[in-house]
Amino acid sequence: MLSVDIEKKIKSVKGDRILKVSGTFSQEVISGVYGNSGVGKSTLFNCLSGLSNPTKGIITHRDEIWFNKESEVNIPPQNRNIGYIFQGNSLFPHFTVKENILYAVRKEHINDLDLSSLLSQVEMEGMENRYPYQLSGGQLQRVAIARSLAQKSKLILMDEPFSALDLEIKQKLYKLIKFFKEQYELMILIITHDINDILYLCDEVLWVKEHQADGLLKKGVFKKEIESKLKLL
Amino acid sequence: MPDLSPIYLSLKLALLNTALLLLVGLPIAYWLSNWKSKAKIFVESLVSLPIILPPSVIGFYLLIVFSPKYLFGETLAGMGIQIPFTFSGILIASLIYSFPFMVQPIQKGFEEIPQHFWNISYTLGKSKFETLIKVIIPNVKHAILTGVILTFAHTMGEFGVILMIGGNIPGVTKVASLAIYSNLEALNYEAAHFYSIILLVISVIIIFLVNLLNSRRRKNAIR
């Protein structure tokens, strides 16, 4: 369970805005974060991962407080153990596939890693010595997922993982994400502005409208809201 | 066979200068790339100053600073340290004169690193130092190599500032460029040609290396 009740000042071309988000993401499900571009979805992920600090509020993961402005608690990103898959290519260009994955493995887990099995799970067997520039968009995302698994993260944040991917590759990734969620009992949060991603993958949705979101919607409720919005058009 | 000591001296000066500037320039370039202050433009201007400042001006002020007639030079002389007309003198002059050639490309390299490289590494549990060493510096290596090559080349060709602070003492401060000048003055064209051709070959190799690095970088950027 990941609880968020934060405010964060964000700068945009239209001037400063306040992002206000509250909600509780359920454990071991796939949650979507939906909203138009520039509403603060990535800023929310940066706050969750500790890369950026909220102006005020609280973030709690399970029983651990990650951030509390009032009591000055702020767990650094290094200690939150989040698998963060950034928009676009989130692999390091100077590392091979193998090196990118190994970089994420903590010393105490290095002996547990079965690299060939991991690569085969993401259908990347035999590609461990390739560099990121030698991979397609879908392959880059699959290696990034493998890296998060090697990191032993139980919480994975994915920022627009399907943008710029064609439908076939997208569907392959959908299946892979669903499989890993079941297999490793992961909690996955996905930022997207594509309704299809939400409808196919997510069990619940945080809908950020005009920099604000209050609580998560069940997929059925989200679908109805979207349909009624489309009827109005 | 002309005296080879000017060539050795030039190479020694260029290697020492490049190594020292790399040690000093790398942290300064990193600091400048991250520094957010209104004063940054003044510091950057100061770093760039040797590019446009005539070498004779740098040489002249260095002579003043290290002259035993003034406080600093007097203090050094009191400690038995002489800077003008020594190898140390031309090394100090080279350090100042070539400073921007090392710092500027490396600073630009650091500035081109996307913020998400840092962020990804932090979320993977790595510290700032570990990220710098294992992720950032390897991705700035082209810029570092460019800085090293440019500094080396610039030092090999230094003339005015070395003549001012070092004089033209054989085996001590008479580098290849000064040897060309001396031999030309003495109408000894054969020796001048000998030193010139060596500097020419070194320059061609260096330009080739810089262009090779840049073309590889462009290829990687396209990928």
Side-chain angles (χ1 to χ4, degrees):
Chain A
M1 197 173 76
L2 177 68
S3 292
V4 189
D5 185 7
I6 55 163
E7 286 187 17
K8 169 77 180 168
K9 193 174 169 182
I10 47 177
K11 287 179 180 173
S12 74
V13 281
K14 291 174 185 169
D16 290 352
R17 299 273 192 274
I18 303 288
L19 172 72
K20 280 187 188 177
V21 176
S22 65
T24 300
F25 296 92
S26 309
Q27 191 66 37
E28 290 154 24
V29 298
I30 301 178
S31 307
V33 177
Y34 177 79
N36 294 334
S37 298
V39 292
K41 303 186 296 292
S42 297
T43 306
L44 170 66
F45 269 23
N46 284 341
C47 290
L48 294 177
S49 61
L51 294 170
S52 178
N53 292 329
T55 324
K56 60 180 178 182
I58 301 174
I59 300 170
T60 314
H61 180 240
R62 296 186 172 175
D63 297 327
E64 189 185 16
I65 297 172
W66 275 355
F67 181 86
N68 187 341
K69 182 78 181 172
E70 269 187 22
S71 55
E72 294 180 354
V73 176
N74 189 6
I75 305 290
Q78 287 89 345
N79 297 344
R80 295 191 189 191
N81 198 22
I82 289 176
Y84 195 155
I85 296 170
F86 288 76
Q87 202 169 352
N89 175 10
S90 56
L91 301 184
F92 296 120
H94 65 300
F95 283 158
T96 59
V97 166
K98 182 180 172 181
E99 288 164 344
N100 262 292
I101 291 172
L102 288 178
Y103 186 69
V105 184
R106 287 168 196 262
K107 276 179 195 158
E108 61 268 28
H109 295 143
I110 198 85
N111 294 326
D112 307 338
L113 182 74
D114 183 349
L115 188 71
S116 44
S117 151
L118 186 61
L119 286 173
S120 118
Q121 285 185 64
V122 291
E123 296 173 25
M124 291 293 291
E125 54 271 74
M127 297 197 191
E128 57 268 36
N129 293 324
R130 290 202 184 175
Y131 284 90
Y133 74 82
Q134 296 171 308
L135 304 178
S136 67
Q139 287 172 329
L140 289 171
Q141 296 296 32
R142 296 211 296 272
V143 178
I145 292 170
R147 184 170 67 182
S148 294
L149 295 173
Q151 193 188 345
K152 302 249 179 209
S153 305
K154 283 290 175 190
L155 168 59
I156 296 183
L157 306 181
M158 303 176 106
D159 189 352
E160 301 275 9
F162 314 111
S163 60
L165 297 184
D166 59 46
L167 191 65
E168 199 184 329
I169 294 168
K170 233 179 175 186
Q171 282 172 339
K172 240 181 170 181
L173 261 184
Y174 283 163
K175 280 181 191 162
L176 202 68
I177 291 168
K178 278 194 163 183
F179 170 74
F180 283 131
K181 182 215 125 190
E182 298 295 336
Q183 180 87 358
Y184 295 98
E185 297 176 341
L186 301 173
M187 181 180 183
I188 300 175
L189 272 62
I190 298 176
I191 285 182
T192 182
H193 59 261
D194 186 338
I195 300 162
N196 292 320
D197 296 343
I198 301 277
L199 296 179
Y200 191 83
L201 266 183
C202 303
D203 306 294
E204 56 183 21
V205 188
L206 182 85
W207 190 346
V208 188
K209 295 174 191 168
E210 293 175 0
H211 313 285
Q212 297 201 8
D214 187 8
L216 279 95
L217 306 172
K218 290 282 168 209
K219 182 155 77 177
V221 179
F222 173 77
K223 198 178 169 188
K224 273 184 190 166
E225 278 204 23
I226 282 286
E227 280 168 353
S228 62
K229 200 180 171 191
L230 288 173
K231 274 178 198 165
L232 290 174
L233 291 175
Chain B
M1 177 85 169
D3 177 18
L4 284 174
S5 71
I7 301 293
Y8 292 137
L9 214 52
S10 279
L11 286 171
K12 183 180 160 190
L13 179 69
L15 285 170
L16 267 174
N17 188 39
T18 306
L20 288 171
L21 274 180
L22 182 62
L23 278 176
V24 177
L26 189 65
I28 291 177
Y30 173 66
W31 169 70
L32 273 174
S33 69
N34 284 293
W35 193 36
K36 288 178 179 69
S37 162
K38 284 179 182 168
K40 185 176 176 177
I41 191 163
F42 295 106
V43 176
E44 282 181 331
S45 305
L46 204 64
V47 168
S48 311
L49 198 58
I51 293 176
I52 55 157
L53 207 60
S56 51
V57 175
I58 299 175
F60 173 69
Y61 282 115
L62 282 174
L63 276 176
I64 298 277
V65 167
F66 292 116
S67 165
K69 285 184 182 174
Y70 299 97
L71 186 66
F72 186 63
E74 192 186 359
T75 314
L76 287 178
M79 293 159 71
I81 300 168
Q82 194 202 329
I83 299 297
F85 312 112
T86 63
F87 183 79
S88 304
I90 61 171
L91 181 60
I92 290 171
S94 298
L95 286 169
I96 295 167
Y97 193 41
S98 297
F99 191 67
F101 292 88
M102 181 65 84
V103 173
Q104 282 188 343
I106 302 179
Q107 183 188 340
K108 196 168 179 291
F110 278 124
E111 284 168 350
E112 283 174 359
I113 293 290
Q115 179 59 36
H116 73 259
F117 280 22
W118 291 96
N119 291 345
I120 292 165
S121 187
Y122 291 161
T123 59
L124 294 174
K126 309 299 177 196
S127 67
K128 191 171 185 178
F129 183 72
E130 201 173 355
T131 303
L132 182 68
I133 299 298
K134 291 185 177 169
V135 175
I136 306 303
I137 288 184
N139 280 291
V140 182
K141 71 174 183 214
H142 283 101
I144 294 173
L145 273 171
T146 304
V148 164
I149 291 169
L150 287 177
T151 303
F152 185 85
H154 191 244
T155 313
M156 284 299 290
E158 270 172 18
F159 178 78
V161 72
I162 290 184
L163 187 64
M164 293 284 286
I165 192 84
N168 194 358
I169 306 165
V172 182
T173 60
K174 189 177 183 178
V175 294
S177 55
L178 293 186
I180 295 169
Y181 172 72
S182 304
N183 282 297
L184 208 60
E185 288 261 285
L187 304 178
N188 188 357
Y189 296 132
E190 202 176 313
H193 183 62
F194 173 78
Y195 296 121
S196 297
I197 204 89
I198 290 177
L199 287 189
L200 180 70
V201 168
I202 291 172
S203 301
V204 168
I205 292 170
I206 285 167
I207 284 292
F208 174 75
L209 283 176
V210 169
N211 285 335
L212 187 73
L213 277 175
N214 284 336
S215 73
R216 281 192 180 172
R217 205 176 166 192
R218 274 196 296 272
K219 265 187 197 170
N220 284 339
I222 291 164
R223 283 162 178 168

